Amino acid sequence: MRVQVQIPGTVESYCIDERGDKRVASDDLWLETYLCSVLRAYSYADDGSGSTVKKIVGVRRFNPVTSTEAEHKFLDAAERLFFNGWQLGSDPEIQVPNLVSNHLTTGLLDYIHTTGRYASGINLFEKLRTRDPEVSSLLARVYISADEEVKAVQLLHEAVHDLPMDYSLLDCQAEFCAAKGRGDLALEIAKRSVVSAPSEFGTWARLAEVYISLEQWDLALLTLNSCPMFTYQDKDAPPMPDPQRVSLPVLPESMCDEIDDSAGMSDVELVHPTLRKLVAAGFKGTFHKAYILLTEITKKIGWDKLLRIRSQVFVMEEEYRNERQTGGAAQGGSRNASVIALKGADSPKVNGHGEAETRKEDDEAALNGDLSSNPIAAGQSLEKPGHTVASEEVKAGSEEPDPSHAAYTQFENKRLCERWLDNLFMVLYEDLRVYTIWRTEMAQSRQQQLQYKKSAEEWEILGDLAERLHHYDEGVEAYQACLGMRFSPKAMRGVLKLYEAEGDIRMIVGALIRLVTWQYRWYSEFSPSLLYAIRKLIEEEGAVKVRSIIQATSLPQHVLDLTHQYAGLCAAFRSSGSDG
């Protein structure tokens, strides 16, 4: 869409199609423009950590839906254009956009989740479900979020009878059962979901999560190895030329010395090269989610146990060379890891289709490439990064190999580890190594009663590292050390999670006030993540108590008013707890 203003003169609005030709801006195109602008406001909003704000500095972000009238207009537009939503594309974890997996449905669910307007969402999806039963999966998710679990289960039961191979319905069922601690029920559902959509990353990731919850580590690794990985496509961002001069004045409403992070610009030069080179912090899309699953396994069983299971299910380089020398590789095939993950590891047999023979050259190339120069991939000696979990806490049972999975020790029953997964192991090793060195140095400094010195930027990176490895207490400790030197929205966001877990209302409110003010300082007047945090706090404690705590904070009134605006949004939407 283009709006051309001539001064003096007229105002002309028109649109440009994909071929660059000018077209008349019809009402339908304006409707699409409006709907996409609301979705973009939620999709491009910051999560409170400041990562999105810092990408393009000086962009104003505001809330497009501030009243029930605006909500009605938004949901009406979404209803009229719902069945064209797949044309918008989808999140990078989804291979093929469809009716229930696209940017429109993601935006709708984000809006409902953020504002708590479950009744409006249920009403919308109920009407759409009469036109297409596939919408049942979206309706069930809203029911679950609204704490209407009985209705959600009844709906899923009916919908699966009508659409027994709809992977969105099956995934919703599996997620619900797993959340209730019934991994045994979720397992068969997740397997069926994989069968119905084998090219989707989400179905395989769900199956891996279920195996992790059931402590079937070998099948979890095999399932992870079978995940289809997609190249990450970042959100559209206009390339900004380097400015000669930048003037970003501080708004009077956001003037607060406590949130001044300008001193952190020089900290970048003080970061140790090892911390700067940690690759995992930049993972996005499917690789980010796969890495989270791998770190969950490591947190539960430890690095040594992970390597042992890895060598049981995947071919190590030395095994491959020995098998080639004896000629065993040419005599048998290897069972497909995807089939093992779906059917379990009971009596694995060679599939008889000569798969190992047809993959022989590719496997050899992979091993002679990255793996031959990589001691981790080759299963050779490693420097131990240290135990990430005490041996008595390991829930994997006995250190003896599982007799039910003994067949993995046979070469023909093993699989070649995918290169991307092999790379994740190397990245995980580096993360664990740096984390172990940090904790060791910290312990030595405390023992010698010396101060452990790091720059604020380094503390922030270490906090992110600990959080990535699921060591939340250590992460909060690093974030607090960072905040002791200068303000950091990322560190404050990390500390906020601790306050929420402990239920410390005053500390939660204090952190939210500072995050809201920092966002406003960089012209971001709206963050769905912060609005959700304030809404949940009001829901649990009541609006009067939250407003009183905000007002009692020893910060300037114009700063407090910014947070009052978020509380006012909850009142405008009549959220639970906003009346008292």
Side-chain angles (χ1 to χ4, degrees):
M1 300 298 292
R2 300 286 185 270
V3 178
Q4 186 173 336
V5 181
Q6 297 177 352
I7 303 175
T10 60
V11 177
E12 180 187 9
S13 61
Y14 57 91
C15 65
I16 303 294
D17 62 15
E18 63 275 9
R19 294 184 296 274
D21 298 331
K22 184 185 290 189
R23 295 176 56 186
V24 177
S26 63
D27 291 342
D28 290 341
L29 289 174
W30 276 117
L31 183 66
E32 292 180 13
T33 304
Y34 163 73
L35 181 60
C36 290
S37 68
V38 178
L39 297 176
R40 196 176 294 111
Y42 271 82
S43 178
Y44 284 67
D46 193 82
D47 62 353
S49 67
S51 56
T52 305
V53 170
K54 292 176 181 177
K55 281 185 179 179
I56 307 178
V57 182
V59 176
R60 184 189 174 204
R61 296 172 171 85
F62 60 92
N63 187 0
V65 183
T66 57
S67 64
T68 53
E69 292 77 13
E71 177 195 87
H72 178 75
K73 181 180 177 182
F74 166 53
L75 296 182
D76 180 64
E79 181 182 354
R80 291 166 63 182
L81 297 172
F82 183 84
F83 294 95
N84 296 328
W86 61 272
Q87 299 176 11
L88 294 174
S90 61
D91 290 339
E93 296 86 7
I94 297 171
Q95 172 81 329
V96 181
N98 57 33
L99 183 65
V100 295
S101 300
N102 56 65
H103 284 310
L104 175 56
T105 56
T106 301
L108 286 169
L109 292 176
D110 282 348
Y111 171 79
I112 296 166
H113 173 75
T114 301
T115 60
R117 299 284 291 173
Y118 302 117
S120 299
I122 290 170
N123 182 47
L124 171 66
F125 291 133
E126 281 282 12
K127 288 188 288 185
L128 293 170
R129 179 171 169 254
T130 60
R131 298 167 61 183
D132 195 317
E134 282 188 43
V135 183
S136 300
S137 61
L138 300 176
L139 180 57
R141 292 184 186 279
V142 178
Y143 273 135
I144 293 171
S145 299
D147 204 20
E148 296 278 0
E149 294 180 349
V150 174
K151 290 183 179 179
V153 171
Q154 291 173 343
L155 174 65
L156 288 171
H157 176 73
E158 296 170 3
V160 168
H161 271 286
D162 296 335
L163 301 168
M165 295 302 287
D166 186 290
Y167 83 89
S168 298
L169 286 169
L170 295 170
D171 184 68
C172 184
Q173 267 193 328
E175 182 183 10
F176 178 76
C177 292
K180 294 298 179 183
R182 293 302 304 270
D184 53 331
L185 297 178
L187 180 58
E188 293 305 319
I189 301 171
K191 286 180 180 180
R192 182 187 285 191
S193 179
V194 167
V195 171
S196 64
S199 62
E200 290 294 338
F201 172 83
T203 56
W204 287 100
R206 183 74 64 203
L207 181 59
E209 288 176 6
V210 174
Y211 278 133
I212 292 172
S213 68
L214 295 174
E215 299 183 1
Q216 297 184 21
W217 316 116
D218 50 353
L219 293 176
L221 282 182
L222 281 172
T223 306
L224 196 58
N225 193 53
S226 302
C227 286
M229 308 301 285
F230 314 135
T231 303
Y232 178 72
Q233 299 292 334
D234 203 354
K235 297 184 178 74
D236 294 335
M240 304 293 288
D242 294 331
Q244 291 182 344
R245 184 172 55 88
V246 178
S247 177
L248 298 171
V250 179
L251 299 173
E253 301 94 317
S254 62
M255 285 186 178
C256 181
D257 294 336
E258 289 193 30
I259 63 160
D260 183 18
D261 61 346
S262 57
M265 301 302 177
S266 59
D267 280 355
V268 180
E269 300 175 359
L270 303 176
V271 177
H272 193 277
T274 305
L275 295 177
R276 197 180 292 143
K277 291 178 182 177
L278 292 177
V279 181
F283 280 155
K284 304 287 185 183
T286 53
F287 294 95
H288 173 66
K289 295 199 172 183
Y291 189 73
I292 290 176
L293 293 174
L294 193 59
T295 54
E296 283 182 9
I297 298 174
T298 310
K299 171 64 177 173
K300 291 183 177 180
I301 66 175
W303 171 254
D304 293 337
K305 183 81 173 178
L306 177 66
L307 285 185
R308 195 154 48 246
I309 295 173
R310 178 174 178 264
S311 65
Q312 291 172 7
V313 298
F314 295 131
V315 176
M316 298 290 104
E317 184 183 19
E318 194 63 32
E319 289 179 302
Y320 184 81
R321 294 188 187 281
N322 292 339
E323 194 70 19
R324 286 204 65 202
Q325 290 172 1
T326 58
Q331 296 175 6
S334 67
R335 190 180 177 192
N336 190 295
S338 305
V339 176
I340 295 176
L342 287 174
K343 295 187 177 180
D346 298 328
S347 64
K349 299 177 182 178
V350 178
N351 59 20
H353 295 295
E355 183 182 350
E357 225 171 359
T358 59
R359 290 179 53 90
K360 185 175 175 182
E361 295 181 4
D362 293 339
D363 293 353
E364 183 179 355
L367 287 165
N368 291 335
D370 295 342
L371 304 185
S372 60
S373 60
N374 173 19
I376 299 175
Q380 298 170 359
S381 60
L382 299 173
E383 175 194 351
K384 289 188 179 181
H387 293 285
T388 60
V389 59
S391 57
E392 62 270 11
E393 296 178 13
V394 174
K395 299 179 181 179
S398 172
E399 292 295 323
E400 297 299 322
D402 188 349
S404 64
H405 299 152
Y408 282 131
T409 58
Q410 299 298 323
F411 176 84
E412 60 269 19
N413 296 325
K414 291 188 177 185
R415 284 291 291 173
L416 197 66
C417 186
E418 295 287 346
R419 287 192 179 186
W420 65 264
L421 182 55
D422 189 67
N423 181 59
L424 289 193
F425 274 103
M426 292 189 288
V427 171
L428 176 59
Y429 172 78
E430 184 63 17
D431 270 1
L432 290 171
R433 188 182 71 84
V434 173
Y435 175 82
T436 305
I437 291 172
W438 165 43
R439 299 311 299 176
T440 303
E441 290 177 349
M442 280 277 289
Q444 291 174 350
S445 298
R446 285 173 179 167
Q447 200 171 27
Q448 299 171 8
Q449 297 183 340
L450 299 174
Q451 185 180 3
Y452 187 64
K453 294 184 178 180
K454 291 284 183 184
S455 68
E457 188 74 18
E458 286 178 325
W459 280 120
E460 188 178 297
I461 294 173
L462 288 171
D464 186 43
L465 169 64
E467 193 174 2
R468 201 162 56 236
L469 295 175
H470 306 283
H471 296 287
Y472 299 110
D473 292 341
E474 291 80 2
V476 169
E477 182 183 355
Y479 284 142
Q480 288 174 332
C482 172
L483 291 171
M485 302 175 71
R486 68 167 174 86
F487 182 81
S488 163
K490 186 172 186 177
M492 184 60 79
R493 196 76 178 89
V495 171
L496 176 61
K497 295 177 183 177
L498 171 68
Y499 296 152
E500 290 175 335
E502 294 178 347
D504 192 333
I505 304 171
R506 292 189 178 277
M507 297 303 291
I508 293 173
V509 170
L512 286 172
I513 291 172
R514 287 159 178 80
L515 287 171
V516 168
T517 309
W518 187 91
Q519 293 272 320
Y520 203 94
R521 186 267 170 268
W522 294 106
Y523 317 113
S524 177
E525 302 174 22
F526 171 62
S527 169
S529 179
L530 298 182
L531 175 59
Y532 175 76
I534 293 174
R535 182 181 72 79
K536 293 299 290 183
L537 193 62
I538 289 175
E539 185 178 302
E540 294 169 3
E541 304 295 335
V544 174
K545 182 176 180 179
V546 172
R547 283 183 177 274
S548 300
I549 296 174
I550 293 173
Q551 199 60 41
T553 308
S554 58
L555 287 170
Q557 185 61 42
H558 59 80
V559 169
L560 303 180
D561 289 341
L562 300 178
T563 309
H564 280 309
Q565 291 178 12
Y566 278 82
L569 275 175
C570 296
F573 286 124
R574 296 188 289 275
S575 300
S576 177
S578 59
D579 296 332

